[in-house]
Amino acid sequence: MPISTVNTSAFEGQKPGTSGLRKKVGVFKQPHYLENFIQSTFNALGDCEGKTLVVGGDGRYYNQTAIQIILKMAAANGFSHIWVGQNGILSTPAASCVIRKYQAFGGLILSASHNPAGIDGDFGIKFNTSNGGPAPESITNQIYQQTTEISQYRISNAADIALHKLGLQNLGDMTVEVIDSVVDYTELMASIFDFPAIKALLTSGDFSMRFDAMHAVTGPYAIEILEKRLGAPAGTVINGIPLPDFGGGHPDPNLTYAEQLVTELFSDDAPDFGAASDGDGDRNMILGKQFFVTPSDSLAILAANAQHIPAYKSGITGIARSMPTSQAADRVAEKLGIEAHETPTGWKFFGNLLDANRVTLCGEESFGTGSNHIREKDGLWAVLFWLNILAVKQQSVAELVNLHWQQFGRNYYTRHDYEGVPTEQAEALIQHLQTQLSTLPKKQFAERTVSYADNFSYHDPIDNSVSEKQGIRIGFEGGDRIIYRLSGTGTEGATLRVYIESYEDRPARLNQDTQTALSELIDLANQLAKIVELTGRTAPTVIT
Ligand code: VG1
Ligand code: CO
């Protein structure tokens, strides 16, 4: 089959961010734009002859078009075999599962996660390595380097693959195997959790739940697992049909964007349990009857109850959390006498710790939780973990969380996002903070004394790599913290994220409203960064 070598020239700005390259669909559709990034990825990987790949995405607009191009380029670059999800669909956790299960060389995941989709929305691509996890910075830096030097790419002239047809097809000398998108992932979940116990809970008649797939990729996974395998009534999964524009919504499972679910769970006749996932299926939000569980608390609670889950019953080796995630999980690690790690934002930093078996559970404040079963965060896995605990303990979500706070204390936690800030303003704000850092330690603000102030740098204990400037941290005596960083996943202007945390263990103060409990620290965070003066913003766009 003839192969074309096409001349091209470099595009600016093809630098992978927190989770791959994310741009507006219109940017990706420019002639050669996608091809340049794919060829640069293959160039960075070196010799691709005879290697294997997994390819799939979250089903958003442009998914299948991009996959056809990627398959032809993989064939032209010498890959021998590709597993691709049926109709191009693989959730991010399912892709990680498949890479590991079939021992692929790596995978290309097409997703912009929770960012809006459709013709005017966002698109994204990232490369995952053979452990199933996002490529580390050493590789993403090489990919970026290649994007600045590229002058040619290779593509096969073969016909399109029938992505709906399960089984083997040929593309030149390469074989393409279209696989069921859901089966491997479902089997993995059944091997981790006590499905009979969860099924007994869901069919008991006195437990009800709702899962909001937000018209994104988890619909088919949730319907198969929750309704078909675990017996939850039809209709348990809402917005379960994936749409190329996610139904015009913003599939980010939080109190702002999962409005339909949140309204139901806070209504008078709310179900006992509610959950949602994001565009590519790796995030989760957990709700009880009129009750919201913060992702940071969720990680701590899963860790404290891991012994109730078949796959973790012999114990967990350690817990890792991203730096801005609350320190609630650290207290659990301390009690269990296991390692606790603090990494920069983004799942790629957990891979080494998981591979070395230094940690079993990982989490991020941004509604991400996962374990050593794969190398991505995993939305439905977290939902099943919660259901398994509820089935064993026969407590409500609120009871479980309250008991946890009584035992460990509560880390009040909030994140304030300021979206669409002009990049220069956002950078000036971080610079303003940076110049203050050395003057802050020992300074007193009302009752709080600063114990440290820095721009976080992470020293990976496994490969000794160092990642600098991962966010401004201001820590106070007693553990309170204010953190500032700029998003690495947005596609328009800058998003400033301010993370605020305060620890409380006085029994009478465990049930305050979060924004009220944190109000002093929130004011201080605004003052220190001069948010109003430097951005003109008087309120955040999203509060979680
Ligand atoms: C955000 C979150 C981060 C998460 C990343 C990818 O990154 O804060 O915790 O790992 O999204 O998640 P940033 O750089 O915008 O803060 V996903 O579900 O978009 O793959
Ligand atoms: Co996601």
Side-chain angles (χ1 to χ4, degrees):
M1 192 63 62
I3 284 171
S4 301
T5 301
V6 181
N7 290 327
T8 185
S9 52
F11 286 92
E12 269 183 28
Q14 291 198 323
K15 190 173 172 62
T18 312
S19 186
L21 183 69
R22 290 190 190 167
K23 300 283 175 194
K24 292 271 164 227
V25 166
V27 174
F28 265 104
K29 283 173 92 171
Q30 297 173 82
H32 310 315
Y33 191 91
L34 170 72
E35 290 86 344
N36 274 19
F37 188 72
I38 298 298
Q39 187 66 54
S40 299
T41 302
F42 293 161
N43 291 348
L45 297 175
D47 184 8
C48 300
E49 206 57 46
K51 294 208 161 90
T52 60
L53 273 184
V54 169
V55 178
D58 63 15
R60 66 177 61 224
Y61 178 79
Y62 202 55
N63 191 48
Q64 295 209 10
T65 313
I67 289 178
Q68 297 289 0
I69 294 171
I70 290 170
L71 295 178
K72 289 171 196 171
M73 291 186 67
N77 279 273
F79 282 91
S80 62
H81 188 85
I82 309 276
W83 293 270
V84 56
Q86 190 175 23
N87 298 319
I89 297 286
L90 282 176
S91 74
T92 293
S96 185
C97 157
V98 169
I99 294 170
R100 295 168 68 78
K101 181 166 177 179
Y102 299 128
Q103 297 177 331
F105 171 69
L108 286 163
I109 303 182
L110 287 72
S111 168
S113 190
H114 54 284
N115 297 17
I119 195 160
D120 298 318
D122 291 352
F123 192 74
I125 295 197
K126 66 174 173 176
F127 178 72
N128 282 27
T129 52
S130 60
N131 72 350
E137 281 191 330
S138 55
I139 295 181
T140 56
N141 288 340
Q142 282 178 44
I143 295 173
Y144 175 58
Q145 185 59 35
Q146 290 290 335
T147 67
T148 65
E149 295 167 1
I150 190 163
S151 60
Q152 288 186 331
Y153 63 83
R154 289 164 65 74
I155 187 160
S156 160
N157 300 315
D160 279 1
I161 288 292
L163 289 173
H164 62 280
K165 226 171 91 190
L166 290 176
L168 289 170
Q169 297 171 51
N170 290 317
L171 201 168
D173 294 335
M174 187 177 84
T175 45
V176 176
E177 187 172 349
V178 178
I179 57 170
D180 184 287
S181 312
V182 176
V183 165
D184 296 304
Y185 179 80
T186 303
E187 264 179 32
L188 178 62
M189 292 302 111
S191 75
I192 295 174
F193 299 106
D194 186 346
F195 269 29
I198 302 175
K199 185 168 191 175
L201 176 74
L202 293 178
T203 55
S204 64
D206 37 70
F207 183 89
S208 57
M209 76 167 281
R210 194 72 73 226
F211 179 90
D212 190 348
M214 305 186 85
H215 285 306
V217 81
T218 34
Y221 296 86
I223 290 170
E224 174 65 26
I225 295 174
L226 297 172
E227 297 186 3
K228 296 204 178 131
R229 294 287 296 266
L230 296 170
T236 296
V237 177
I238 55 172
N239 301 319
I241 297 173
L243 298 171
D245 66 349
F246 298 151
H250 196 151
D252 198 356
N254 61 39
L255 294 174
T256 305
Y257 292 126
E259 198 196 335
Q260 184 187 352
L261 180 78
V262 171
T263 306
E264 188 179 1
L265 266 289
F266 281 84
S267 69
D268 288 341
D269 52 354
D272 300 289
F273 183 76
S277 193
D278 70 333
D280 61 332
D282 57 359
R283 297 186 178 205
N284 72 92
M285 175 170 66
I286 302 295
L287 300 168
K289 211 187 255 293
Q290 288 122 25
F291 197 91
F292 166 65
V293 185
T294 72
S296 298
D297 279 347
S298 179
L299 173 66
I301 291 165
L302 299 189
N305 289 283
Q307 76 276 13
H308 299 302
I309 307 298
Y312 313 110
K313 67 170 184 292
S314 55
I316 54 176
T317 60
I319 312 170
R321 60 166 175 81
S322 67
M323 182 272 282
T325 302
S326 98
Q327 300 159 99
D330 301 14
R331 295 182 181 273
V332 177
E334 199 184 341
K335 157 133 190 294
L336 296 175
I338 57 174
E339 291 186 28
H341 293 269
E342 182 175 55
T343 59
T345 293
W347 213 261
K348 57 177 174 266
F349 294 102
F350 294 135
N352 281 345
L353 294 167
L354 288 164
D355 286 350
N357 202 24
R358 295 279 289 271
V359 301
T360 307
L361 299 184
C362 307
E364 294 192 280
E365 50 65 41
S366 54
F367 298 82
T369 336
S371 89
N372 61 357
H373 68 293
I374 52 171
R375 295 294 181 274
E376 289 278 3
K377 55 190 188 271
D378 190 344
L380 265 172
W381 168 90
V383 173
L384 292 168
F385 202 136
W386 268 91
L387 288 171
N388 201 152
I389 295 173
L390 297 177
V392 172
K393 299 198 95 172
Q394 297 288 321
Q395 288 167 339
S396 72
V397 171
E399 278 165 351
L400 196 69
V401 175
N402 276 296
L403 287 169
H404 185 89
W405 290 339
Q406 282 164 28
Q407 190 181 355
F408 292 95
R410 175 173 179 185
N411 291 70
Y412 281 98
Y413 186 84
T414 191
R415 182 176 108 184
H416 287 196
D417 289 340
Y418 297 80
E419 296 174 330
V421 175
T423 308
E424 318 76 66
Q425 285 183 11
E427 280 168 2
L429 183 145
I430 295 291
Q431 192 48 40
H432 163 69
L433 285 164
Q434 180 75 44
T435 53
Q436 287 180 70
L437 291 178
S438 60
T439 68
L440 286 174
K442 301 214 168 64
K443 243 192 188 166
Q444 186 115 7
F445 295 95
E447 264 119 68
R448 290 189 177 81
T449 310
V450 177
S451 65
Y452 62 89
D454 63 7
N455 199 332
F456 180 55
S457 90
Y458 177 61
H459 188 131
D460 185 307
I462 311 299
D463 67 12
N464 287 317
S465 60
V466 177
S467 302
E468 287 175 331
K469 300 213 167 86
Q470 297 295 323
I472 305 278
R473 306 191 296 180
I474 303 175
F476 299 88
E477 285 170 12
D480 292 0
R481 297 192 307 168
I482 301 173
I483 288 148
Y484 308 85
R485 57 180 285 283
L486 300 183
S487 158
T489 58
T491 60
E492 257 171 2
T495 295
L496 168 69
R497 305 201 196 285
V498 186
Y499 312 78
I500 294 147
E501 170 181 10
S502 181
Y503 180 68
E504 177 63 70
D505 60 0
R506 288 166 291 187
R509 301 207 187 176
L510 290 176
N511 285 293
Q512 303 171 68
D513 167 71
T514 299
Q515 300 302 315
T516 315
L518 294 173
S519 62
E520 265 181 34
L521 266 179
I522 293 171
D523 288 346
L524 182 55
N526 292 348
Q527 269 173 42
L528 287 172
K530 289 200 174 157
I531 294 178
V532 183
E533 291 96 312
L534 294 177
T535 68
R537 300 294 182 88
T538 51
T541 342
V542 179
I543 296 181
T544 48

